[in-house]
């Protein structure tokens, strides 16, 4: 079975290396020629909570020749159109593209490769791309082993192909097949909109958000807005990592302290993580903000719901993109505090 990892960045490098180590026939595909060269010459190096050095095969999109049975899509969403159209000639009728991306990209992916070839997926761990060929695992290894992936067919059926993909991904960490992948994706969207969004908007790690009372006040509102928008769309979030994220919906302002133990239990193991959007800002690159907090804001407008906290995350991250700066925590936390005054 031929497997492609499209997007050999922070997560793609780790997943590709561990699948290769597990005996799978894997190509790591990346548009970054320097990264491809380093992977081929030096192998994939994983640091952080595990340390491994694995010989891998890497290619640029222009070097593709074969057709693939399974594709794990790990590009940032803004590159999907280009990446998937480059991939199309290398898919056969029964190929499967599994979206291991942030946000909710499944409809757009299906529009390009076909709904019959699309399976949704979510990743339950984080990583940081350090340099060509080197990624740091920033989530504790026992968490990866318990909650690495959730995947599922778009129609909710439990199929043999989904079970086969789950078996392959289990070489990295536990993979659950879900009958409500949209509910999983919105739960993961909540995880990204809260800590990834705030990490990028404030220019810091997850832990620096988690252990700051002012930041957590605003983060609690980001979660609340996300849950209420999802419900208005008819989406029921699925528990992830053994936790029901709909618990984070707020009754009122006084309800916020009741949620803090939940946040600390779930996110303390990820405290060292720096959001991929934050990493992009450090490199002066565009982020996926339109597909994370921006998705919540857009869907909120669609259903007539206000999302001021998600809107502010989008505003601050886009400003940092335009100015090619890393946000200043002390300055931007004041902007979030000002929303509290307005409420």
């Amino acid at each position: 079975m031929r497997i492609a990892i499209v997007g050999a960045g922070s997560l793609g490098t780790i997943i590709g290396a561990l699948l290769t180590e597990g005996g799978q026939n894997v190509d790591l595909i990346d548009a970054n020629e320097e990264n491809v060269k380093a992977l081929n010459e030096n192998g994939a190096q994983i640091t952080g909570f595990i340390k491994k050095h694995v010989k891998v095969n890497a290619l640029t999109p222009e070097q593709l020749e074969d057709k693939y049975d399974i594709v794990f899509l790990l590009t940032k969403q803004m590159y999907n159109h280009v990446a998937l159209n480059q991939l199309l000639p290398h898919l056969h009728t029964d190929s499967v593209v599994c979206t291991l991306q942030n946000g909710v990209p499944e409809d757009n992916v299906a529009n390009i490769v076909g709904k019959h070839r699309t399976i949704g997926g979510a990743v339950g761990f984080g990583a940081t791309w350090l340099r060509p060929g080197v990624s740091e695992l920033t989530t504790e290894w026992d968490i990866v082993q318990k909650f690495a992936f959730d995947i599922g067919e778009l129609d909710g059926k439990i199929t043999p192909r989904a079970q086969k993909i789950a078996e392959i991904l289990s070489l990295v960490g536990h993979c659950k097949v879900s009958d409500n992948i949209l509910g999983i994706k919105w739960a993961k969207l909540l995880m990204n909109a809260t800590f990834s969004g705030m990490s990028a908007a404030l220019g810091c790690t997850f832990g620096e958000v988690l252990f700051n009372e002012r930041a957590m006040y605003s983060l609690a509102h980001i979660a609340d807005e996300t849950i209420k928008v999802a419900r208005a769309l008819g989406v029921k979030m699925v528990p992830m990592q053994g936790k029901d994220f709909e618990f984070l919906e707020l009754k009122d302002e006084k309800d916020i302290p009741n949620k803090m133990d939940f946040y600390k239990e779930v996110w303390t193991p990820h405290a060292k993580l720096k959001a991929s959007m934050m990493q992009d800002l450090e490199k002066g690159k565009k982020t996926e903000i339109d597909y994370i907090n921006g998705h919540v804001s857009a869907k909120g407008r669609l259903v007539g719901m206000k999302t001021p906290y998600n809107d502010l995350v989008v505003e601050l991250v886009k400003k940092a993109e335009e100015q090619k700066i890393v946000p200043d925590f002390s300055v931007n936390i004041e902007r979030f505090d000002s929303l509290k005054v307005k409420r």
Side-chain angles (χ1 to χ4, degrees), residues 23-304:
Q24 298 298 312
N25 186 2
V26 182
D27 287 340
L28 281 71
I29 302 166
D30 199 77
N32 183 334
E33 294 183 7
E34 188 179 0
N35 190 40
V36 168
K37 181 180 179 182
L39 287 166
N40 284 326
E41 292 181 355
N42 306 317
Q45 185 177 344
I46 306 173
T47 66
F49 281 103
I50 61 168
K51 301 190 186 306
K52 287 183 179 289
H53 208 143
V54 182
K55 184 178 180 180
V56 296
N57 188 58
L59 302 165
T60 64
E62 295 75 21
Q63 294 172 323
L64 296 182
E65 294 180 353
D66 298 318
K67 291 186 182 290
Y68 294 97
D69 303 298
I70 299 173
V71 175
F72 294 115
L73 187 61
L74 286 135
T75 55
K76 297 186 186 301
Q77 279 200 59
M78 57 271 207
Y79 304 127
N80 276 2
H81 184 77
V82 171
L84 290 173
N85 278 287
Q86 289 173 327
L87 184 68
L88 273 176
H90 305 283
L91 301 177
H92 54 73
T93 303
D94 296 321
S95 297
V96 180
V97 177
C98 182
T99 62
L100 297 179
Q101 296 175 296
N102 292 329
V104 189
E106 283 70 25
D107 284 347
N108 289 334
V109 172
N111 286 338
I112 297 173
V113 305
K115 190 171 183 179
H116 66 288
R117 291 198 288 208
T118 306
I119 281 183
V123 182
F125 62 94
T128 299
W129 190 82
L130 299 180
R131 57 186 181 276
V134 185
S135 283
E136 177 187 8
L137 179 66
T138 50
T139 299
E140 295 175 3
W141 183 239
D142 63 331
I143 298 296
V144 178
Q145 294 305 287
K146 293 176 183 176
F147 307 112
F149 305 101
D150 291 271
I151 66 165
E153 298 281 1
L154 302 188
D155 62 6
K157 294 179 181 177
I158 306 298
T159 61
R161 71 176 187 173
Q163 291 173 323
K164 178 61 179 177
I165 291 170
E167 179 184 335
I168 291 169
L169 286 175
S170 292
L171 294 168
V172 177
H174 180 70
C175 181
K176 179 181 178 181
V177 179
S178 172
D179 61 2
N180 180 11
I181 193 59
L182 191 59
I184 289 283
K185 295 296 284 191
W186 269 88
K188 181 66 187 295
L189 182 65
L190 182 149
M191 297 177 79
N192 284 324
T194 51
F195 281 89
S196 294
M198 286 295 280
S199 170
L202 294 176
C204 65
T205 64
F206 284 14
E208 289 170 296
V209 175
L210 181 62
F211 300 111
N212 182 285
E213 185 175 347
R214 294 162 70 191
M216 288 303 296
Y217 175 92
S218 293
L219 184 144
H221 281 289
I222 293 171
D224 182 60
E225 291 173 3
T226 304
I227 294 165
K228 286 179 166 63
V229 169
R231 182 174 294 118
L233 292 168
V235 175
K236 167 68 176 174
M237 289 188 186
V238 174
M240 289 188 71
Q241 299 190 4
K243 291 291 184 179
D244 182 1
F245 287 92
E246 292 198 351
F247 167 79
L248 296 173
E249 184 175 15
L250 301 177
K251 298 174 184 176
D252 51 40
E253 300 282 304
K254 296 178 182 178
D255 200 22
I256 292 176
N258 300 326
K259 312 303 181 183
M260 291 302 110
D261 286 346
F262 182 106
Y263 283 116
K264 288 178 181 176
E265 181 179 352
V266 174
W267 272 277
T268 296
H270 307 281
K272 292 178 62 177
L273 185 59
K274 186 188 295 180
S276 61
M277 291 192 292
M278 172 60 184
Q279 297 175 48
D280 287 336
L281 291 178
E282 289 177 329
K283 299 169 190 170
K285 297 168 61 177
K286 285 186 66 64
T287 74
E288 287 187 288
I289 195 65
D290 285 334
Y291 304 98
I292 309 298
N293 301 81
H295 188 77
V296 179
S297 296
K299 294 299 183 182
R301 290 191 292 272
L302 183 68
V303 298

